[in-house]
Amino acid sequence: MKVFLGEKHSFLEEVEARSGQKVQECYQCSKCSGGCPFSRVMDYAPNSILEMIVYGMKDQLLSSKAIQMCIQCGTCGAQCPAGFELYEVMNVLREMAKEEGYKTNEKKIPKMNSIFLGEVRNLGRMHEVNLMVKNMFSQGQLVKDVATLIPIGPPMFLKGIMGVGDMLSHKIQGQAHVAKIFENVEKMQGGHAK
Amino acid sequence: MKTGYFPGCSLHSTAKNYDASTKAVMNTLGVQLEEVPDWNCCGSTPAHQTDHLLALALPARNLAQAEKAGMKDIMAPCAACFNHLRTAEIECKAQPETKQKVEKVIEMKLNNSVHVLNILELLVDRIGIDAIAKKVKKPLKGLKIAPYYGCMLTRPAKITQFDHPTNPTSMDQLLEALGADVVSWGGKTDCCGAAHVLTRLEVVVDLSGRIVHQAKDAGADTIATACPMCMSNLDLRQGAVAKATGRDTKVPVMYLTEIVGMALGIPSSQLGVGKHVVSTAPVQAKIS
């Protein structure tokens, strides 16, 4: 079937051009959604996402939880009979959402990402304890999160997976250089890389 | 043999025994590891979920640091670090305009002269299974191992160029050469849920639970992994899996290098064996 694009379908053209993936050639076999480890907790399954792009459902997609959940595990692409790399599409959708100022329905993941990247910016490296603690305090479910730590925290110390030394964070020598990289990306991307 | 070494953030905290066992194994195999000077975090999943340019620039600074130090290869034991460093390498090599943009951001020159390796490429392709097998002091006879590759080592195929995106065998072959019984199982490249452990714990418990259950069903004494994130999800969460599914597996999860190191006769204390929530004592008892 040939799809003729009107003005309002420029969303499809943009996604195809930026991702390098021919979204229109998807034949909806749904293998991507069957294999995706996260499709069961997504608001739109991966195969639906491709169809929604074709139909120009930009607002629903760019504010969806689904596009924030892809971690590029590549399971979809390895199974796709049409040879798609769907993660490339997901990356483009997330970038477009940010560039165009869409508010996402997924609150937790972007929050965790910004805490993680904040650590990298301030230290040059990710500090696991800082990340865990700051993430716990910011996600608004402290009691539940602490409860899940109780069974694993003490054994981690007893078994030597973690020690007191791991509480302290250190900056790398080139921390200022790493912070500058963040700054330069922000400048180049017009302030989107936050 | 000499190669650059990129430990990554996890190997300096919760995965210290992956760092220790990698160094001990490479030392025994005659490989000199030289750490990338003043390396920074690769940005991991949060960077690539946030901004593509940032996700290339953070690893690219490490590539530039390695180039400055005259390194030709850098080996990253962490599967995620490997994946992100390799992505930056490949995209900068393939797209001159991307390279220019990245150079502008990191304010350093890139010569595209560094190649990123994962631990299996170093062990299997560079050192060679035969050379390793010749140095085995304690064959892993009777030890049933489920080789677990996960996602970041294997996919996307165009980045990782691993031996197969869903049915890889390089770790299987290496473990067999050490004398182990490699179990046939379906979980070898399934996703453990990765960083969603911090935002969607129940999903990680479900996914990791399926993996440890499959390994148990295949009769594995232990799961071998080459990823600190997989280790953390599979090892730390078995209690939660037992609570959620009513099935307590207690399958020890070990870094590939701990297992290789034991076969090479390196003392457990040097490898950091045992620093896991699920006890590895039954595995150690089978080897010594």
Side-chain angles (χ1 to χ4, degrees):
Chain A
M1 184 185 76
K2 209 162 188 169
V3 175
F4 291 95
L5 297 176
E7 190 78 43
K8 65 179 173 160
H9 282 98
S10 58
F11 177 51
L12 167 64
E13 289 168 332
E14 189 175 351
V15 173
E16 286 197 338
R18 288 176 63 164
S19 68
Q21 307 299 310
K22 296 211 170 1
V23 174
Q24 282 187 91
E25 288 177 9
C26 164
Y27 30 82
Q28 287 294 320
C29 74
S30 307
K31 270 185 87 80
C32 50
S33 300
C36 174
F38 308 112
S39 59
R40 79 198 82 160
V41 287
M42 286 174 168
D43 40 5
Y44 304 110
N47 69 301
S48 308
I49 290 172
L50 292 174
E51 198 163 28
M52 288 165 78
I53 296 168
V54 173
Y55 290 134
M57 297 165 75
K58 184 176 176 179
D59 294 347
Q60 289 95 321
L61 265 184
L62 297 193
S63 55
S64 71
K65 289 183 181 226
I67 64 169
Q68 306 293 335
M69 302 202 81
C70 172
I71 56 160
Q72 200 172 312
C73 76
T75 310
C76 50
Q79 297 180 336
C80 176
F84 266 74
E85 284 295 7
L86 189 44
Y87 76 86
E88 303 261 31
V89 173
M90 297 295 238
N91 288 348
V92 165
L93 293 174
R94 254 193 326 265
E95 287 195 2
M96 286 174 76
K98 186 169 291 163
E99 288 163 12
E100 299 185 27
Y102 275 86
K103 281 216 170 8
T104 174
N105 292 323
E106 169 56 47
K107 306 290 178 222
K108 290 183 175 182
I109 294 169
K111 215 179 270 174
M112 191 279 278
N113 286 345
S114 88
I115 293 167
F116 184 109
L117 293 174
E119 287 302 303
V120 178
R121 190 174 190 153
N122 293 335
L123 301 171
R125 289 182 191 163
M126 187 267 293
H127 187 257
E128 288 179 339
V129 174
N130 279 2
L131 170 65
M132 240 150 62
V133 172
K134 287 183 184 173
N135 184 61
M136 254 180 9
F137 278 102
S138 74
Q139 296 287 8
Q141 45 171 43
L142 192 59
V143 176
K144 191 180 157 206
D145 285 346
V146 169
T148 61
L149 264 188
I150 289 169
I152 60 165
M156 284 177 80
F157 277 94
L158 287 172
K159 295 272 192 159
I161 298 169
M162 263 191 168
V164 179
D166 293 313
M167 298 294 165
L168 307 167
S169 54
H170 307 279
K171 278 184 187 178
I172 64 166
Q173 280 173 11
Q175 178 271 331
H177 183 202
V178 173
K180 190 77 197 295
I181 291 174
F182 278 86
E183 213 177 285
N184 288 344
V185 170
E186 277 169 10
K187 261 187 225 152
M188 215 179 261
Q189 311 286 61
H192 299 300
K194 279 187 185 140
Chain B
M1 197 191 302
K2 208 167 132 182
T3 175
Y5 181 55
F6 184 86
C9 308
S10 291
L11 273 74
H12 275 213
S13 57
T14 51
K16 281 191 213 69
N17 52 342
Y18 194 15
D19 187 42
S21 55
T22 300
K23 285 176 174 161
V25 164
M26 293 308 164
N27 186 37
T28 304
L29 295 174
V31 179
Q32 226 180 305
L33 297 177
E34 194 189 330
E35 199 158 314
V36 175
D38 201 43
W39 54 269
N40 59 278
C41 170
C42 72
S44 196
T45 303
H48 101 72
Q49 281 190 330
T50 302
D51 186 278
H52 188 59
L53 183 57
L54 182 67
L56 295 176
L58 289 172
R61 178 184 174 272
N62 295 309
L63 299 181
Q65 290 280 96
E67 281 180 5
K68 252 182 27 190
M71 296 171 180
K72 293 271 167 269
D73 304 291
I74 47 177
M75 190 276 285
C78 166
C81 295
F82 155 72
N83 195 300
H84 296 108
L85 290 165
R86 176 70 78 78
T87 302
E89 175 197 339
I90 287 186
E91 291 204 14
C92 287
K93 277 182 181 162
Q95 304 157 7
E97 65 284 5
T98 301
K99 182 176 124 140
Q100 270 180 7
K101 227 171 155 182
V102 168
E103 285 177 327
K104 221 172 136 189
V105 168
I106 65 172
E107 300 177 357
M108 285 174 98
K109 276 268 162 231
L110 284 170
N111 302 315
N112 288 342
S113 59
V114 169
H115 181 52
V116 181
L117 296 169
N118 61 57
I119 190 123
L120 277 155
E121 285 170 333
L122 181 57
L123 287 168
V124 174
D125 301 340
R126 295 284 173 97
I127 303 168
I129 289 177
D130 292 343
I132 299 172
K134 274 185 200 147
K135 294 199 170 171
V136 170
K137 294 225 171 79
K138 289 182 180 172
L140 307 178
K141 245 183 126 203
L143 186 67
K144 293 195 180 111
I145 307 179
Y148 177 62
Y149 300 77
C151 333
M152 294 284 148
L153 270 183
T154 53
R155 295 182 300 269
K158 67 175 177 185
I159 301 291
T160 62
Q161 297 156 359
F162 209 69
D163 62 286
H164 195 283
T166 49
N167 186 26
T169 54
S170 52
M171 199 192 316
D172 300 43
Q173 289 167 28
L174 172 61
L175 293 170
E176 272 166 10
L178 304 177
D181 287 337
V182 171
V183 303
S184 173
W185 72 310
K188 56 161 68 168
T189 58
D190 287 357
C191 176
C192 69
H196 284 322
V197 70
L198 291 173
T199 51
R200 293 280 190 295
L201 180 61
E202 62 289 352
V203 179
V204 168
V205 169
D206 178 26
L207 294 170
S208 296
R210 289 162 192 241
I211 293 164
V212 292
H213 282 167
Q214 283 189 72
K216 188 85 180 173
D217 289 341
D221 296 313
T222 182
I223 297 172
T225 180
C227 176
M229 185 83 245
C230 299
M231 168 58 80
S232 149
N233 283 345
L234 298 183
D235 177 46
L236 298 183
R237 305 296 170 179
Q238 283 188 45
V241 169
K243 224 172 143 188
T245 63
R247 187 176 173 206
D248 199 358
T249 41
K250 290 207 173 60
V251 185
V253 188
M254 301 182 79
Y255 288 114
L256 171 66
T257 43
E258 291 179 76
I259 295 171
V260 174
M262 288 196 294
L264 295 175
I266 303 170
S268 295
S269 55
Q270 223 176 308
L271 297 166
V273 173
K275 291 186 173 181
H276 303 294
V277 169
V278 178
S279 172
T280 55
V283 180
Q284 289 168 262
K286 278 205 170 184
I287 295 175
S288 51

